[in-house]
Amino acid sequence: FYIQAISGMASFYHSCGYYDGNPFSEVESRNDSKNTSSFDSNRVKLNIDQLIDGVNNIGLKNGDTIIVIVLTKTGIRISELCNIDDRDINIDHPVSELLEQSPRAEIDDKPDTLFIDSDKSKESYSDPTEGNKRKIDTAIPIDNEMKKCLIWYILSRPQNLSEESPLFRDIVGNRLTTPTSSRRIISWAKENGLHKNGRDEMDNVTAHRLRAF
């Protein structure tokens, strides 16, 4: 399951010119379906139609929409999403004038790109954060669907009350935290029948599960 998900992401980045090839294609071809564990069979099923219905049920007035879409589209960790600052996005649209920081040097010449900084640790922020676990810096292309959602979110997000410039904020205006965001994803999943009581958290739809969708 995970090899297929990673291979699909690598193929997408390769097609966009970010990678020279897909190093996971050969591994995927060798992956025998008989190795699928009972762990996967116990999981709450999640398909694209359920995901679309779930997002539509949130509604544009709820900030949970952008969390679900970014996690699903990019495969980043929930902690990495919370750590994104305004300078970590380069969006080719007039809405960029509402961002509090200009794009960082690494993506200044890459329109419609999201940047995940591997150097961001817990000590990098004054805001409560878990830091990033990523070992290398990663530039992620923003497709048209996610771009539209980001434009909507930037136009409607709360005024910043943080000492920093977080891209994603809670309803008050502070930086989103990992625990709060994770609870919001679980609440959304329960409302849409994607999270069932009595199951192990890894068998339900959570922020981690959306990474590998």
Side-chain angles (χ1 to χ4, degrees):
F1 176 80
Y2 287 107
I3 291 176
Q4 291 176 341
I6 294 172
S7 180
M9 290 175 59
S11 295
F12 174 72
Y13 294 148
H14 171 55
S15 67
C16 294
Y18 281 78
Y19 297 156
D20 293 330
N22 182 359
F24 300 100
S25 57
E26 184 177 352
V27 178
E28 183 181 14
S29 66
R30 295 180 181 180
N31 189 34
D32 195 322
S33 59
K34 68 181 180 181
N35 291 326
T36 301
S37 66
S38 59
F39 171 80
D40 286 335
S41 65
N42 289 331
R43 286 188 162 191
V44 175
K45 303 301 182 183
L46 177 63
N47 58 47
I48 188 64
D49 291 332
Q50 289 174 301
L51 188 61
I52 291 174
D53 289 342
V55 170
N56 289 337
N57 289 339
I58 298 175
L60 288 179
K61 293 182 180 180
N62 192 317
D64 293 351
T65 303
I66 195 66
I67 299 175
V68 173
I69 289 174
V70 172
L71 289 178
T72 307
K73 288 276 190 178
T74 64
I76 63 176
R77 297 175 177 87
I78 188 68
S79 57
E80 292 171 339
L81 179 144
C82 295
N83 292 341
I84 295 173
D85 292 320
D86 280 2
R87 72 188 190 115
D88 297 323
I89 183 173
N90 184 346
I91 188 165
D92 186 18
H93 188 274
V95 76
S96 62
E97 296 180 6
L98 298 179
L99 297 174
E100 298 176 358
Q101 298 170 317
S102 299
R104 56 164 66 231
E106 292 90 339
I107 57 172
D108 187 49
D109 60 346
K110 295 179 179 178
D112 297 334
T113 300
L114 200 61
F115 189 83
I116 307 300
D117 189 350
S118 62
D119 289 334
K120 287 187 175 180
S121 64
K122 201 170 186 178
E123 291 72 28
S124 302
Y125 301 89
S126 59
D127 293 334
T129 177
E130 295 184 6
N132 290 344
K133 298 179 181 179
R134 196 168 292 256
K135 301 300 181 182
I136 59 172
D137 295 341
T138 308
I140 302 173
I142 298 171
D143 68 11
N144 289 333
E145 188 174 48
M146 186 164 72
K147 181 177 179 178
K148 292 176 181 178
C149 294
L150 283 166
I151 291 170
W152 157 78
Y153 177 75
I154 293 169
L155 286 170
S156 61
R157 66 181 180 171
Q159 183 177 355
N160 185 24
L161 295 182
S162 167
E163 295 180 7
E164 296 156 346
S165 300
L167 178 61
F168 300 109
R169 304 165 186 172
D170 60 22
I171 58 175
V172 178
N174 296 312
R175 182 186 297 276
L176 272 178
T177 64
T178 299
T180 297
S181 301
S182 296
R183 286 194 297 268
R184 287 167 65 172
I185 292 296
I186 291 175
S187 177
W188 163 77
K190 286 182 176 179
E191 291 174 0
N192 289 276
L194 303 175
H195 191 290
K196 298 181 180 179
N197 292 331
R199 288 181 179 266
D200 187 278
E201 282 300 299
M202 293 300 291
D203 291 335
N204 271 312
V205 173
T206 61
H208 179 77
R209 178 80 179 279
L210 291 177
R211 287 189 63 207
F213 178 74

